[in-house]
Amino acid sequence: MRKPVIAGNWKMNKLVGEASELVAGLWEEISGQDAVEAVVCPPFVDLPSVGRLISERGMTLGLGAQNMHWEESGAFTGEVSPGMLTDLGVTHVIIGHSERRQLFGETDQGVNRKVTSAFEHGLQPIMCCGETLKQRESGQTEDVVSGQVKCGLFELPAEWVSGLVIAYEPIWAIGTGVAASTADAQEVCGYIRGLVAAEYDTGVAESVRIQYGGSVTPENISELMAMDDIDGALVGGASLKADVFSRIVMFS
Ligand code: PGA
C-alpha cells in the first residue's frame, strides 16, 4: 500500500509571522491525522520558524523546501545546500518544479543531480514533470514527460527510486483554476508508472508514489485520489489557507 503524500507548495508567499499562523491553523485541523503524509513547503526564510513550531507541537507534518543546490557547500551565491536544509529539520524537497525550469533555467541534468543529492542527504525528493499546453495540443505529452522522468532518474539505484515521489504537473493546469480531468491525470500518472516499470521493474513501479498537481482543491481531491495511479497531490494556491489545505489533506 502506498501512503498518500499531499504537499503544499507555498511558492514565494508568507512572511515569517504569516507562516507561523498558517501552521498553527493546520495544527488545529490536521494534527492527529496520519492517513496521509502531509507536508508544507514554505520559502527558505520561513523554514526555521515553521520547523520549530512543528517540533514544539509534535505535529506529524513534513517540512519541505522548494529547491536546493546539489553541492554540499562552496561558491554558489544565492544557493542553499542540502546539509543546510537537514540542519533545520527539513525532510522533503521539491525538485524541478516547472516554474524553476521555465523561469530559472533548470535542466533535466540539474534535476538528476539534485535528486541524487537529496537521497544522499536523506531528504525525500518530490521530482516534478509536466507538459505545456502547446506540447499537449500537439500530442507530445508522453514524449515530454518520458524525457523528463528518464533523465531525472538517470543512474539512480532501484532502492532510491522505490522511495521517490514524482509529481506530474501539467503546466497549463498550474494556478489556472483548470485542473486536468481525472481521466487525463490518471492516464499520464499511469504512463509514468509504466516508465518506471520499464526502466526498473514492477516492484519499484508499485512503490514509487506519483502525485498530481495543478489546481487541486478540496472539491476535486477525492475524485483525483480515487484514481489507481494517483498517490497524492502537490498543491499551490489551495495550500495557503489552513482550512482549505486541511480539507484537502482530510479528503477521505
Ligand atoms: P496550483 O499550483 O495548485 O496553484 O495550481 C500547483 C503547483 O505549482 O505545484
Side-chain angles (χ1 to χ4, degrees), residues 3-11 26 30 33 36-42 61-66 91-95 97 124-128 165-167 169 209-214 216 221 225 231-240 245-246 248-249 251:
K3 186 169 189 170
V5 51
I6 297 186
N9 173 11
W10 297 2
K11 308 194 179 181
L26 292 176
I30 60 168
Q33 78 79 33
V36 166
E37 184 175 318
V39 186
V40 288
C41 305
L61 184 63
L63 180 63
Q66 299 171 16
T91 50
H92 294 63
V93 59
I94 299 171
I95 292 176
H97 189 279
Q124 167 69 70
I126 299 175
M127 185 183 86
C128 302
V165 175
I166 300 177
E169 298 203 301
R209 289 180 295 173
I210 304 176
Q211 295 176 315
Y212 165 78
V216 172
I221 184 72
M225 292 301 296
D231 308 313
L234 186 53
V235 185
S239 70
L240 296 174
F245 188 59
S246 302
I248 295 176
V249 170
F251 72 92

Side-chain angles (χ1 to χ4, degrees), residues 59-83:
M59 294 172 78
T60 47
L61 184 63
L63 180 63
Q66 299 171 16
N67 178 35
M68 64 172 209
H69 199 279
W70 57 80
E71 292 286 353
E72 187 51 55
S73 62
F76 301 102
T77 301
E79 292 291 318
V80 170
S81 77

Side-chain angles (χ1 to χ4, degrees), residues 19-149:
S20 298
E21 255 173 58
L22 174 46
V23 175
L26 292 176
W27 179 74
E28 287 182 14
E29 310 263 353
I30 60 168
S31 58
Q33 78 79 33
D34 77 343
V36 166
E37 184 175 318
V39 186
V40 288
C41 305
F44 288 128
V45 293
D46 295 338
L47 289 171
S49 56
V50 170
R52 226 173 302 128
L53 201 53
I54 289 174
S55 75
E56 275 167 16
R57 303 216 178 178
M59 294 172 78
T60 47
L61 184 63
L63 180 63
Q66 299 171 16
N67 178 35
M68 64 172 209
H69 199 279
W70 57 80
E71 292 286 353
E72 187 51 55
S73 62
F76 301 102
T77 301
E79 292 291 318
V80 170
S81 77
M84 292 170 181
L85 297 179
T86 53
D87 188 44
L88 292 177
V90 170
T91 50
H92 294 63
V93 59
I94 299 171
I95 292 176
H97 189 279
S98 60
E99 286 150 19
R100 304 256 4 130
R101 293 176 188 260
Q102 292 197 312
L103 305 172
F104 303 100
E106 288 213 5
T107 62
D108 290 334
Q109 289 73 20
V111 167
N112 175 254
R113 294 176 83 165
K114 290 181 181 191
V115 170
T116 303
S117 174
F119 277 117
E120 282 167 355
H121 288 84
L123 288 160
Q124 167 69 70
I126 299 175
M127 185 183 86
C128 302
C129 62
E131 81 287 359
T132 63
L133 185 58
K134 203 166 157 212
Q135 289 164 334
R136 171 160 285 259
E137 286 175 346
S138 57
Q140 291 175 277
T141 300
E142 291 192 352
D143 283 352
V144 170
V145 167
S146 132
Q148 290 170 336
V149 170

Side-chain angles (χ1 to χ4, degrees), residues 164-233:
L164 183 62
V165 175
I166 300 177
Y168 167 59
E169 298 203 301
I171 293 169
W172 46 271
I174 295 178
T176 59
V178 184
S181 69
T182 45
D184 284 347
Q186 161 59 30
E187 190 181 346
V188 182
C189 291
Y191 173 73
I192 292 170
R193 199 176 304 284
L195 281 176
V196 175
E199 297 285 306
Y200 293 86
D201 58 45
T202 49
V204 175
E206 282 307 312
S207 43
V208 70
R209 289 180 295 173
I210 304 176
Q211 295 176 315
Y212 165 78
S215 297
V216 172
T217 63
E219 285 69 42
N220 61 20
I221 184 72
S222 305
E223 207 187 326
L224 287 161
M225 292 301 296
M227 298 291 114
D228 283 352
D229 290 301
I230 299 181
D231 308 313

